[in-house]
Amino acid sequence: MNHVLQLVRDILENEKRAAEEQLQLNKVCELEDKFVKDFSKEKWKESFDLDIEKGQLHNLEIERVIEITCNVCKDLFLR
């Protein structure tokens, strides 16, 4: 299973972003910059730490979706 996860990560890392994804990323960056512009150094660090933890949760969710998808595909092929 880890090989599949790594393969998916590698493919995603090497793909160019779609225009829609890039626009959404730009929006997020603009809103984040506006939100944190008056943060103290300590609040900036707290915000950054929070983003890291949310990213970790998102990664776990994605890994679970891939795992379920692989299991469903295996089950379909074994029928």
Side-chain angles (χ1 to χ4, degrees), residues 21-32:
E21 288 175 313
Q22 188 61 50
L23 286 172
Q24 188 62 35
L25 178 59
N26 291 346
K27 285 181 191 177
V28 168
C29 289
E30 287 174 17
L31 289 171
E32 184 178 62

Side-chain angles (χ1 to χ4, degrees), residues 39-51:
F39 274 18
S40 67
K41 191 173 186 177
E42 184 59 33
K43 279 294 177 194
W44 226 115
K45 184 183 178 323
E46 289 175 13
S47 176
F48 185 72
D49 290 344
L50 176 60
D51 281 346

